[in-house]
Amino acid sequence: LTGHSNFRDLWSYAFGKSSAYVLDFAIFFQCFLSSVIYCGLLSDIFSALLPMVGYSFSRSAVITIFGIVVLLPLCLIRNLAALGFTSILGLVAVLYTAIFITYRSIDGTYALDPMG
């Protein structure tokens, strides 16, 4: 529509080049906080699951391992086209969850008094 191919050019077109740093900061901040949240979420999940298969790591060790082994390589990818298939997988997972929760709420599983 505007002929621009990235967010920075579009922002500069709409608001001027002098404020383009605002968009850069917002994108960096959102990506950084998403990575922190993923590390925390994955560490909570896997620090509880790993003892079930015979491995015991502290939460901080799991954060370090996932940060280096999983999130760092994803952050360093220059072209995200290779991750395109994960969008459809995420959509399928969300739809499955919504259908499952709807089914379970209809069959009475989530009722306040399941016996009644």
Side-chain angles (χ1 to χ4, degrees), residues 43 46-48 50-51 54-63 65:
S43 69
F46 281 97
S47 60
L50 288 174
Y55 297 102
S56 182
F57 292 104
S58 68
R59 185 173 187 267
S60 58
V62 175
I63 288 174
I65 291 167

Coordinates of all heavy atoms in Angstrom, one line a residue, residues 43 46-48 50-51 54-63 65:
S43 N 11.6 -23.1 31.9 CA 12.3 -23.6 33.1 C 11.4 -24.1 34.2 O 11.6 -25.1 34.8 CB 13.2 -22.5 33.7 OG 12.4 -21.5 34.3
F46 N 10.1 -27.6 32.6 CA 11.1 -28.7 32.5 C 11.8 -29.0 33.9 O 12.2 -30.1 34.1 CB 12.1 -28.4 31.4 CG 11.6 -28.7 30.1 CD1 11.1 -27.7 29.3 CD2 11.6 -30.0 29.6 CE1 10.5 -28.0 28.0 CE2 11.1 -30.3 28.4 CZ 10.5 -29.2 27.6
S47 N 11.9 -28.0 34.8 CA 12.4 -28.4 36.1 C 11.5 -29.3 36.8 O 11.9 -30.0 37.8 CB 12.8 -27.1 36.9 OG 11.6 -26.3 37.1
A48 N 10.2 -29.3 36.5 CA 9.3 -30.2 37.1 C 9.2 -31.5 36.4 O 9.0 -32.6 37.0 CB 7.9 -29.6 37.1
L50 N 11.8 -32.9 34.3 CA 13.0 -33.7 34.2 C 13.2 -34.7 35.3 O 13.8 -35.8 35.0 CB 14.2 -32.7 34.0 CG 14.3 -32.0 32.7 CD1 15.4 -30.9 32.8 CD2 14.5 -33.0 31.6
P51 N 12.8 -34.4 36.5 CA 13.0 -35.4 37.6 C 12.2 -36.7 37.3 O 12.6 -37.8 37.8 CB 12.5 -34.7 38.9 CG 12.7 -33.3 38.6 CD 12.5 -33.1 37.1
G54 N 14.5 -39.0 35.5 CA 15.8 -39.2 36.1 C 16.8 -38.1 36.1 O 18.0 -38.3 36.5
Y55 N 16.5 -36.9 35.6 CA 17.4 -35.8 35.6 C 16.9 -34.8 36.6 O 15.7 -34.5 36.6 CB 17.5 -35.2 34.2 CG 18.1 -36.1 33.2 CD1 17.3 -36.8 32.3 CD2 19.5 -36.4 33.2 CE1 17.8 -37.6 31.4 CE2 20.0 -37.3 32.2 CZ 19.2 -37.9 31.3 OH 19.7 -38.7 30.4
S56 N 17.8 -34.2 37.3 CA 17.4 -33.2 38.3 C 18.3 -31.9 38.1 O 19.5 -32.0 38.3 CB 17.5 -33.7 39.7 OG 17.1 -32.7 40.6
F57 N 17.7 -30.9 37.7 CA 18.4 -29.6 37.5 C 17.7 -28.5 38.2 O 16.4 -28.5 38.4 CB 18.4 -29.2 36.0 CG 19.3 -30.1 35.1 CD1 18.7 -31.0 34.3 CD2 20.6 -30.0 35.2 CE1 19.4 -31.8 33.5 CE2 21.4 -30.8 34.4 CZ 20.8 -31.7 33.5
S58 N 18.4 -27.5 38.7 CA 17.8 -26.4 39.3 C 17.1 -25.5 38.3 O 17.4 -25.6 37.1 CB 18.8 -25.6 40.1 OG 19.7 -24.9 39.2
R59 N 16.2 -24.6 38.7 CA 15.5 -23.8 37.8 C 16.5 -22.9 37.0 O 16.4 -22.6 35.8 CB 14.5 -22.9 38.6 CG 13.6 -22.0 37.7 CD 12.5 -21.4 38.5 NE 11.6 -20.7 37.6 CZ 11.7 -19.4 37.3 NH1 12.7 -18.7 37.8 NH2 10.8 -18.8 36.5
S60 N 17.5 -22.4 37.7 CA 18.5 -21.5 37.1 C 19.3 -22.2 36.1 O 19.7 -21.7 35.0 CB 19.4 -20.8 38.1 OG 20.0 -21.7 38.9
A61 N 19.6 -23.5 36.3 CA 20.3 -24.3 35.3 C 19.5 -24.6 34.1 O 20.0 -24.5 33.0 CB 20.8 -25.7 35.9
V62 N 18.2 -24.8 34.3 CA 17.3 -25.0 33.1 C 17.2 -23.7 32.3 O 17.2 -23.8 31.1 CB 15.9 -25.6 33.6 CG1 15.0 -25.7 32.5 CG2 16.1 -26.9 34.3
I63 N 17.1 -22.6 33.0 CA 17.0 -21.3 32.3 C 18.3 -21.1 31.5 O 18.2 -20.7 30.3 CB 16.9 -20.1 33.3 CG1 15.4 -20.1 33.9 CG2 17.2 -18.8 32.6 CD1 15.2 -19.1 35.0
I65 N 20.4 -23.4 30.3 CA 20.5 -24.4 29.2 C 19.5 -24.0 28.1 O 19.9 -24.0 26.9 CB 20.1 -25.8 29.7 CG1 21.3 -26.3 30.6 CG2 19.9 -26.8 28.6 CD1 20.9 -27.5 31.5

